Amino acid sequence: MSQSKKQVHRLAKGGRIDRSRTLSFTFNGQSYQGHPGDTLASALLANGVDIVNRSFKYSRPRGIVAAGAEEPNAIVQLGSTEAAQVPNVRATQQALFAGLTARSTNGWPNVQRDLMGLFGKLGGKFMPPGFYYKTFMAPASLWMTYERYIRKAAGLGRSPMEADPDTYDHLHQHCDVLVVGGGAAGLAAALAAARSSARVIVADEQEEMGGSLLDSRETLDGKPADQWVAQVVKELAGYDNVTLLPRTTANGYHDHHFVTLHERRTEHLGETAPLVKGRRQVRARMHRVRAGQVILATGAHERPLVYAGNDVPGNMLAGAVSTYIRRYGVAPGHKLVLTTSNDYGYRAALDWKEAGREVVAIVDARQSPAGDWVEAARAQGIKIITGSAVIEAKGGSRVSAARVAKIDIDAFQVSGPAQELACDTIASSGGYSPVIHLASHTGARPTWRDDILGFVPSLVKGVHACGGANGTYALGEVLAEGVEAGIKAAAVTGHAAPAVSLPQVKALKQGPAAPLFQVPHEKPTLRAPKQFVDLQNDVTAAGIELATREGFESIEHVKRYTAMGFGTDQGKLGNINGMAIAARCLGRPIPEVGTTVFRPNYTPVTFGAIVGRHCRDLFDPERYTALHQWHVEHGAEFEDVGQWKRPWYYPQTVNGKVETLHEAVARECSAVREKVGILDASTLGKIDIQGPDAREFLARVYTNKWEKLAVGKCRYGLMCKDDGMVTDDGVTSCLADNHFLMTTTTGGAAAILEWLELWHQTEWPELDVYFSSVTDHWATMTITGPEARKLLAEITDIDLDKESFKFMEWRAGKVAGVPARVYRISFTGELTFEINVQANYAMHVWQTLFKHGEKYGLTPYGTETMHVLRAEKGFIIVGQDTDGSVTPEDLGMQWCVGYDKPFSWIGKRALTRSDTKRENRKQLVGLKPKDPKVVLEEGAQIVFDPKHAIPMPMAGHVTSSYYSPTLDSGFALAVVKGGHQKMGETVYLPMADGQTHEAKIVSPIFYDPKGERQNV
Amino acid sequence: MSNAATFDTRTDSAIPVESPLAYSYRRSGAPAAGPESRVTLRERALLGQLVLRGGAIVLDEAVREVLGLGLPGEPQGLVQDERGERSIQWLSPDEWLVIVPGGEEFELETRLRERLGDAHYAISDVSGGQTLLELEGEAARELLMKTVIYDVHPSHFPVGRGVTTVFAKATAIVRRPSEERWELVVRRSFADYCYRWLLDAGEEYAIGVVR
């Protein structure tokens, strides 16, 4: 059998396909052939594939209906390998390539004959709207079980189970004028804007630009329309100020003319992106466009008529029939009946006839149609049945006949006897719906126009609609509107466009369309054979009528009850028909039933394009200190603190076994308490504060006093928000009279700098002070433990004598030959020196410390050990022991509050509120578990009476809890109601596993309560 | 000289020093630039970088006298000396970034402080905290379009402009000192992320790293 015979519906000539080359592809396991220029849909039609899916709810066979983004049925799963799986691809928008492998999305287990078909036929009657809500929601516990089978049977596509081999990225674009749509209106607009020298981006979702001009019967300047397209595209491509993006869908229109364009760069070439010169290409790219002005030239979707059996394969949109014939050289049948409410539909019959196929009849709902195309059809000898419509399509797996009868639109009834016309294809046209989706995304409600029987977009400032998107369909007017929009948009952005001379278009004479949506049947809607409104979600006219009878009046409710428009096609074909039916049932005009709101995305977008390169090790920034490599090389496990990677602990291999966290932390803690440990503290926020009012400013943002802090001294500071709750803490040092260095928590650094700027700029601009972040400039190495002084003394010129360099002081000098500021402050309770050097020298200083530190047992420790050591001392960590509801007094830190400071510092007033003054607030205490082996769970709830009936009154919770090798016991910090007055009392911690732990309230300072060790 | 502490953080050249990208070169390598490279990346490490804060008029007089360069005349401006070695960039209405050859920054700060006397201003040395990356080549602009949100079209980003903007999920300063060259100033702790991002985004342009 020759190939041309295999492609049974392929015409001998015509179409924009390359017949010199043949491409093989696979659909549902069967091999077929098509040509470059085909879509998967046109190739399937060429091969006579009638059934491409099973329907969502009733499992009815479905065929291709449309030729573009609005296709509801031909939804396929692409991919020959697991990794290449792509769900929910519209066959009408997928270019054919050699080796393409596709399966029906619906139709488990088999599209031709499936088990669900039986269920569908039996169950159909029993599946009214709201069926799922009514049937499967109770008992709720079984929904998960139902859902699995419903999903599998309904077929919503599936995601790949293997990693995607492709890459995707983003491109930030800016332009004066974004033109969405490269059809007649869009190209005219682009041409005008481009000639003004404005920066223009043209995005078009199809394989090639031109839109409806690619299959138009009309001529421009007496030449085929596609010649004008080629000429315009060539001119646009020659401009530096124009970016042409074919295969690019404007999928979302966000605030401030931020539009996301989804460009499919290689999906027409193969299922994974081919290499170019050995380098990868991105499969899809998201253009994140910030546009000055946006022109919506998105065209219009043809509306099908709603009649009985309108879902049987062989029922198609009239315009799609024309497109397949003229653009793809495919006539998807032999005998056509056209049912239409308007002149445009006639095109399909004319094209069909010219393709050498039989037009059985044109059935026109209007009594006396008149117009150029009507006359052309008459001249061709095509039979026209007026005042009538196809009321029912007959056939199972393919249309076999059309039942045609006179209808009375106003009375909504069949007004004459039906005749049956044998045919295999029924094309229908109920007029056009402007593609208003993107305008809807901006929040603008569309407006109904009776003259065009459709919604046109309302436009926010800076948006222009032209052509079909604006309800303008006559080609000459479409072009003129496009040019006008282009000139206007460019002008707003400051670019004057020269005149654009438009090609000559012969104006078509057309008669008015009939307002026909649902076609009446002899039987009432509820008893007639199914009349489908939303093919993808199996919503029928009867379903909508039933919904209105059950009391749903707003179209938003009807949609949700029936699921109309909730498929991946968002009801592009069905929504307006559905609204018209609801309006008819409710006896109200269409716009009163509501408008339809579309949301991003216009068509499904692959997650890859949304994510771009923000994945894997580029998912989020990882911030490293200057010593990061050393930590990596020494086997550190890392903890995320904000975006920083901080060494968590350094497991060592002891006797061939890698230490656990617990073992490593015990070893690190002992090293600090007994010898000397070293911590990379570079991540702490550091803010350089300069100015004559720096000291006054500190006094206002910290709770404690700063007026007497002398040069060379350091002080711990506590910061509250204006609600009196602790927000940050850290040590601030006086570098000079007008110069301080503030340290903040690692996670709070950026927010605190903003906080300081906020108060300075908005409340106290009269204070002369400046803040600059120097966090990254300095590397901070904390050496702590009894041997710290001896170690440091070996490599510094600073006098470390305890009398000349006291606790809470800083000195400048050299450490390991590097200029350093050394701060004698302590977060461990041990003798501590924090060595700060310019970060580029940090590695040298760190390594020098280790060279000298071995004999002192210098041990690197991480954040976990730091946490244990500070908790033993009762030092809080803001954000762990506090949660935004804790005052300094709750923490027992009255010593750190300057109640009598002259200026009302941030939070002071809030601390006198009745709520912050009341007794029984949760207060920070220590907890000692009765069983020393128990390490309480952080977050565990505390109760006073474990025998109390559930729900027990909660008395507080554990904020920090560790095992202390020094105490050889578990210990915890906790907040407990009235805890400061309950020292020595016992509390209980009932756990999820049924155990109840017992603990004693103690001072939060577990170790060296007098602070002698850090003062040595 | 105002009552602030100055501190020369540099020391003699015998002490080993590591640029912010030192770890990144070891971890991610540095693809060599070749004839097919449409963009190249070069770190200009260990420069002197100072943040100046204060009133424009006062600072302008001082930097003219001490550095021989005035402050940029308008927001988002970047000025540089003839050889492009010393530059001043507007960061915010009272904030400028001064970049000078490594080692000059302490003397510059000292002389500025002498010149500025009791005026209210601040100078912070951030030399260890950030590094400068240069991008050159015909694909440099497109590489930036993948990376920064700001509009880098020549009509919007002429030579002599510098902005602080979003860099992937971090922030960076983007500058255009000449027709051919773009500069990024990135914070030390983010430098590795930025470097890996640029290598990844530049792969399709055969990005090369000049060291």
Side-chain angles (χ1 to χ4, degrees):
Chain A
M1 198 186 277
S2 78
Q3 281 168 16
S4 58
K5 265 191 177 167
K6 266 188 170 172
Q7 295 183 41
V8 289
H9 290 320
R10 183 75 74 186
L11 296 169
K13 59 182 173 45
R16 305 177 64 79
I17 51 168
D18 176 4
R19 287 165 203 269
S20 67
R21 287 166 55 213
T22 299
L23 305 172
S24 293
F25 68 101
T26 307
F27 179 69
N28 283 342
Q30 286 274 354
S31 282
Y32 299 101
Q33 287 174 330
H35 298 293
D38 263 326
T39 61
L40 174 58
S42 69
L44 287 170
L45 287 172
N47 283 278
V49 176
D50 293 333
I51 304 174
V52 294
N53 249 324
R54 287 277 167 171
S55 78
F56 178 73
K57 192 156 122 185
Y58 304 117
S59 200
R60 291 164 69 112
R62 290 285 164 81
I64 294 164
V65 168
E70 69 275 33
E71 171 61 37
N73 290 340
I75 309 298
V76 299
Q77 178 93 15
L78 286 186
S80 64
T81 63
E82 184 56 37
Q85 293 299 308
V86 183
N88 292 325
V89 174
R90 293 146 312 286
T92 49
Q93 293 194 295
Q94 174 61 51
L96 195 67
F97 55 81
L100 183 149
T101 302
R103 300 199 74 83
S104 301
T105 293
N106 282 15
W108 167 69
N110 178 322
V111 72
Q112 293 295 332
R113 179 198 303 280
D114 70 0
L115 295 174
M116 284 298 290
L118 187 64
F119 179 49
K121 279 172 196 149
L122 279 177
K125 277 197 180 72
F126 308 105
M127 292 174 79
F131 173 76
Y132 291 108
Y133 301 115
K134 289 167 175 166
T135 309
F136 289 118
M137 288 313 283
S141 59
L142 276 179
W143 171 246
M144 300 297 278
T145 314
Y146 297 141
E147 191 190 17
R148 191 146 48 101
Y149 290 101
I150 291 169
R151 275 185 181 274
K152 190 169 183 186
L156 294 169
R158 66 181 188 85
S159 52
M161 303 300 287
E162 288 176 11
D164 189 339
D166 278 313
T167 56
Y168 307 81
D169 67 10
H170 296 164
L171 205 61
H172 299 283
Q173 298 266 24
H174 302 259
C175 64
D176 295 312
V177 180
L178 169 65
V179 181
V180 183
L187 289 178
L191 198 59
R195 286 183 185 170
S196 78
S197 79
R199 288 164 66 189
V200 178
I201 295 174
V202 188
D204 185 86
E205 65 175 352
Q206 299 202 25
E207 289 297 306
E208 50 181 337
M209 301 238 175
S212 65
L213 296 178
L214 297 176
D215 53 51
S216 175
R217 296 182 65 83
E218 296 181 72
T219 57
L220 298 175
D221 283 338
K223 287 180 281 191
D226 60 348
Q227 287 187 20
W228 183 80
V229 171
Q231 171 202 321
V232 172
V233 170
K234 191 176 166 208
E235 179 179 338
L236 291 173
Y239 291 122
D240 280 345
N241 56 317
V242 176
T243 304
L244 289 175
L245 295 172
R247 300 186 190 92
T248 302
T249 305
N251 62 287
Y253 195 141
H254 315 277
D255 286 346
H256 309 293
H257 307 317
F258 172 50
V259 183
T260 42
L261 307 180
H262 174 214
E263 182 191 14
R264 298 164 297 279
R265 291 171 69 83
T266 71
E267 288 170 32
H268 60 298
L269 300 174
E271 61 182 25
T272 54
L275 296 179
V276 170
K277 290 186 194 159
R279 296 190 179 276
R280 71 160 196 246
Q281 299 181 82
V282 294
R283 175 192 171 93
R285 171 170 286 168
M286 193 71 88
H287 297 263
R288 301 166 62 87
V289 183
R290 270 97 178 163
Q293 300 276 303
V294 177
I295 295 175
L296 299 177
T298 46
H301 288 149
E302 193 168 26
R303 269 194 309 271
L305 290 170
V306 177
Y307 47 87
N310 61 340
D311 69 324
V312 176
N315 284 288
M316 296 180 75
L317 290 169
V321 168
S322 285
T323 300
Y324 285 115
I325 293 171
R326 299 184 68 90
R327 185 162 170 190
Y328 300 106
V330 176
H334 296 279
K335 295 174 75 170
L336 175 79
V337 170
L338 167 72
T339 179
T340 183
S341 65
N342 60 77
D343 281 16
Y344 287 106
Y346 279 69
R347 212 163 62 100
L350 295 170
D351 290 333
W352 190 272
K353 176 101 178 171
E354 281 170 25
R357 305 287 165 106
E358 182 189 349
V359 179
V360 178
I362 295 175
V363 187
D364 194 320
R366 299 169 297 180
Q367 292 299 337
S368 37
D372 287 346
W373 281 351
V374 178
E375 297 315 319
R378 286 204 175 103
Q380 292 265 3
I382 298 173
K383 179 176 167 191
I384 301 177
I385 305 170
T386 59
S388 303
V390 170
I391 61 166
E392 183 175 350
K394 303 292 273 185
S397 56
R398 173 85 197 204
V399 167
S400 59
R403 294 185 64 235
V404 174
K406 281 221 171 301
I407 57 164
D408 181 337
I409 294 175
D410 293 333
F412 190 66
Q413 65 184 25
V414 172
S415 53
Q419 57 172 318
E420 204 163 294
L421 303 178
C423 63
D424 61 6
T425 306
I426 301 173
S428 83
S429 177
Y432 293 107
S433 298
V435 175
I436 58 171
H437 300 64
L438 289 173
S440 277
H441 296 177
T442 67
R445 291 260 159 183
T447 315
W448 178 261
R449 266 175 56 187
D450 268 330
D451 60 332
I452 62 155
L453 299 172
F455 283 103
V456 291
S458 302
L459 302 173
V460 299
K461 201 174 152 193
V463 187
H464 312 259
C466 54
N470 196 35
T472 303
Y473 304 126
L475 183 53
E477 292 170 39
V478 166
L479 290 168
E481 254 188 40
V483 167
E484 193 191 331
I487 290 173
K488 243 166 85 180
V492 176
T493 64
H495 298 86
V500 175
S501 62
L502 286 169
Q504 287 297 310
V505 183
K506 180 175 169 283
L508 279 175
K509 271 210 317 256
Q510 295 208 322
L516 183 61
F517 302 92
Q518 181 192 356
V519 179
H521 192 269
E522 293 108 326
K523 293 181 184 165
T525 300
L526 289 177
R527 293 171 55 197
K530 286 191 169 53
Q531 302 165 308
F532 283 91
V533 177
D534 179 335
L535 289 160
Q536 195 172 86
N537 266 5
D538 264 358
V539 178
T540 62
I544 292 167
E545 187 166 319
L546 193 63
T548 61
R549 286 191 187 190
E550 290 187 18
F552 294 94
E553 295 191 356
S554 158
I555 195 65
E556 295 295 339
H557 291 152
V558 172
K559 280 169 67 180
R560 276 155 186 80
Y561 194 55
T562 60
M564 178 178 78
F566 281 72
T568 57
D569 65 347
Q570 284 198 49
K572 290 184 177 67
L573 288 186
N575 278 6
I576 305 299
N577 282 332
M579 290 171 61
I581 293 165
R584 175 180 63 73
C585 296
L586 295 165
R588 296 211 296 247
I590 289 174
E592 274 184 31
V593 180
T595 58
T596 179
V597 180
F598 299 101
R599 295 183 181 81
N601 290 314
Y602 176 68
T603 43
V605 178
T606 182
F607 279 113
I610 294 169
V611 171
R613 298 303 298 151
H614 298 284
C615 59
R616 303 199 175 96
D617 56 353
L618 291 170
F619 174 66
D620 202 44
E622 290 183 357
R623 298 180 70 181
Y624 300 144
T625 73
L627 301 164
H628 189 76
Q629 181 167 355
W630 192 94
H631 305 319
V632 172
E633 286 170 354
H634 289 76
E637 294 289 333
F638 289 91
E639 178 181 30
D640 292 335
V641 183
Q643 289 174 320
W644 288 96
K645 289 282 176 191
R646 295 197 70 179
W648 185 20
Y649 62 102
Y650 297 82
Q652 294 200 342
T653 305
V654 182
N655 301 328
K657 267 185 70 187
V658 181
E659 287 176 327
T660 62
L661 167 68
H662 178 77
E663 289 161 352
V665 168
R667 174 180 51 73
E668 292 172 12
C669 283
S670 304
V672 172
R673 293 275 182 243
E674 289 158 24
K675 294 170 184 165
V676 58
I678 184 165
L679 174 81
D680 180 358
S682 307
T683 61
L684 288 182
K686 293 173 274 289
I687 300 172
D688 194 41
I689 304 177
Q690 298 180 29
D693 294 322
R695 189 183 293 275
E696 171 64 19
F697 190 89
L698 288 174
R700 295 185 187 185
V701 296
Y702 275 130
T703 60
N704 48 334
K705 296 183 181 178
W706 295 86
E707 69 205 57
K708 289 194 181 131
L709 185 69
V711 176
K713 302 267 187 196
C714 315
R715 179 165 291 172
Y716 174 80
L718 199 57
M719 221 181 268
C720 287
K721 285 249 154 122
D722 33 357
D723 59 5
M725 303 301 158
V726 171
T727 184
D728 205 78
D729 69 345
V731 169
T732 291
S733 305
C734 184
L735 303 180
D737 264 349
N738 295 352
H739 195 175
F740 294 80
L741 183 78
M742 173 187 283
T743 60
T744 72
T745 56
T746 295
I752 294 301
L753 180 60
E754 279 173 24
W755 179 246
L756 302 184
E757 284 285 1
L758 174 75
W759 281 84
H760 181 225
Q761 291 181 27
T762 63
E763 297 294 326
W764 308 317
E766 72 279 10
L767 295 185
D768 283 341
V769 59
Y770 286 114
F771 319 93
S772 290
S773 170
V774 291
T775 302
D776 286 28
H777 176 65
W778 299 100
T780 304
M781 294 157 269
T782 302
I783 55 171
T784 180
E787 304 280 25
R789 180 178 282 121
K790 274 192 243 164
L791 167 59
L792 184 56
E794 289 194 17
I795 56 168
T796 187
D797 58 0
I798 299 170
D799 178 2
L800 302 180
D801 184 82
K802 66 176 175 176
E803 296 309 321
S804 50
F805 188 1
K806 294 194 176 103
F807 182 54
M808 296 309 276
E809 291 183 347
W810 70 272
R811 295 290 180 269
K814 280 195 172 176
V815 175
V818 176
R821 282 184 178 142
V822 178
Y823 300 79
R824 232 197 111 178
I825 55 183
S826 178
F827 199 42
T828 62
E830 300 295 332
L831 172 66
T832 302
F833 297 94
E834 289 200 350
I835 304 159
N836 281 254
V837 297
Q838 206 234 52
N840 296 329
Y841 293 110
M843 192 63 90
H844 164 74
V845 175
W846 183 272
Q847 285 172 337
T848 306
L849 282 164
F850 273 92
K851 232 177 263 165
H852 292 260
E854 199 181 339
K855 56 183 170 294
Y856 301 111
L858 180 66
T859 301
Y861 69 94
T863 50
E864 190 64 21
T865 293
M866 176 189 84
H867 279 212
V868 176
L869 298 173
R870 64 89 203 177
E872 288 173 352
K873 289 289 298 174
F875 296 149
I876 59 157
I877 287 186
V878 172
Q880 171 151 349
D881 301 300
T882 72
D883 59 3
S885 72
V886 179
T887 67
E889 291 159 358
D890 296 337
L891 294 169
M893 292 173 77
Q894 287 85 342
W895 56 267
C896 199
V897 179
Y899 293 100
D900 56 352
K901 285 197 287 183
F903 196 91
S904 174
W905 38 274
I906 300 171
K908 181 182 182 184
R909 274 211 317 203
L911 291 181
T912 61
R913 288 189 300 133
S914 54
D915 182 62
T916 46
K917 279 280 157 232
R918 75 180 153 82
E919 289 184 3
N920 221 26
R921 285 183 62 83
K922 287 184 185 174
Q923 295 169 325
L924 186 79
V925 295
L927 286 187
K928 191 127 199 194
K930 188 178 175 191
D931 176 354
K933 288 195 210 65
V934 166
V935 178
L936 300 171
E937 269 182 40
E938 288 179 353
Q941 292 291 320
I942 294 164
V943 300
F944 294 134
D945 176 9
K947 300 212 166 68
H948 193 287
I950 292 172
M952 295 183 194
M954 303 294 181
H957 65 271
V958 176
T959 60
S960 297
S961 178
Y962 313 93
Y963 168 77
S964 163
T966 310
L967 309 171
D968 191 21
S969 166
F971 74 108
L973 301 178
V975 287
V976 176
K977 283 182 180 170
H980 292 161
Q981 304 305 318
K982 295 187 188 301
M983 288 297 148
E985 293 183 20
T986 296
V987 293
Y988 302 87
L989 300 100
M991 304 307 297
D993 65 3
Q995 284 190 79
T996 297
H997 298 305
E998 202 175 320
K1000 199 163 78 174
I1001 295 180
V1002 296
S1003 156
I1005 307 174
F1006 290 85
Y1007 185 68
D1008 184 26
K1010 289 185 186 154
E1012 286 161 345
R1013 298 179 66 88
Q1014 64 200 12
N1015 265 317
V1016 292
Chain B
M1 183 159 170
S2 70
N3 204 339
T6 58
F7 192 56
D8 187 356
T9 61
R10 300 218 188 218
T11 187
D12 65 84
S13 54
I15 303 265
V17 61
E18 288 204 338
S19 91
L21 284 189
Y23 170 58
S24 307
Y25 294 141
R26 291 177 206 126
R27 178 192 187 184
S28 307
E36 79 282 12
S37 295
R38 294 172 58 209
V39 62
T40 57
L41 168 66
R42 181 165 80 111
E43 181 190 22
R44 284 176 57 206
L46 312 178
L47 299 175
Q49 305 203 18
L50 299 177
V51 171
L52 302 191
R53 300 203 64 173
I57 294 169
V58 174
L59 288 177
D60 184 55
E61 285 172 0
V63 291
R64 269 177 206 283
E65 196 178 301
V66 174
L67 197 59
L69 269 181
L71 295 183
E74 52 189 56
Q76 302 182 336
L78 168 71
V79 296
Q80 51 189 344
D81 65 7
E82 272 173 29
R83 300 187 58 187
E85 289 179 339
R86 295 165 190 83
S87 64
I88 307 178
Q89 181 190 349
W90 181 96
L91 291 181
S92 78
D94 61 0
E95 189 176 17
W96 290 266
L97 173 65
V98 182
I99 299 186
V100 294
E104 285 187 11
E105 71 277 7
F106 183 69
E107 195 199 337
L108 174 62
E109 179 182 350
T110 307
R111 289 181 55 202
L112 282 173
R113 285 186 182 278
E114 282 166 9
R115 173 65 182 70
L116 285 160
D118 288 337
H120 170 47
Y121 67 93
I123 304 175
S124 299
D125 181 4
V126 293
S127 307
Q130 44 201 37
T131 194
L132 190 145
L133 309 177
E134 281 180 359
L135 291 174
E136 272 188 82
E138 47 155 354
R141 192 167 74 85
E142 192 166 301
L143 177 57
L144 284 171
M145 288 169 71
K146 287 187 179 185
T147 307
V148 302
I149 284 174
Y150 197 80
D151 185 2
V152 291
H153 191 270
S155 67
H156 189 261
F157 207 130
V159 171
R161 172 165 283 196
V163 300
T164 305
T165 185
V166 175
F167 178 112
K169 286 190 186 169
T171 60
I173 289 169
V174 184
R175 302 143 54 104
R176 191 153 181 231
S178 69
E179 287 291 338
E180 308 78 34
R181 205 168 73 236
W182 295 84
E183 291 176 347
L184 298 166
V185 180
V186 299
R187 287 180 69 166
R188 188 183 224 291
S189 55
F190 287 101
D192 182 72
Y193 169 75
C194 294
Y195 181 74
R196 285 186 289 118
W197 177 277
L198 291 171
L199 288 194
D200 180 86
E203 192 188 318
E204 70 172 296
Y205 317 117
I207 190 169
V209 176
V210 180
R211 292 190 62 186

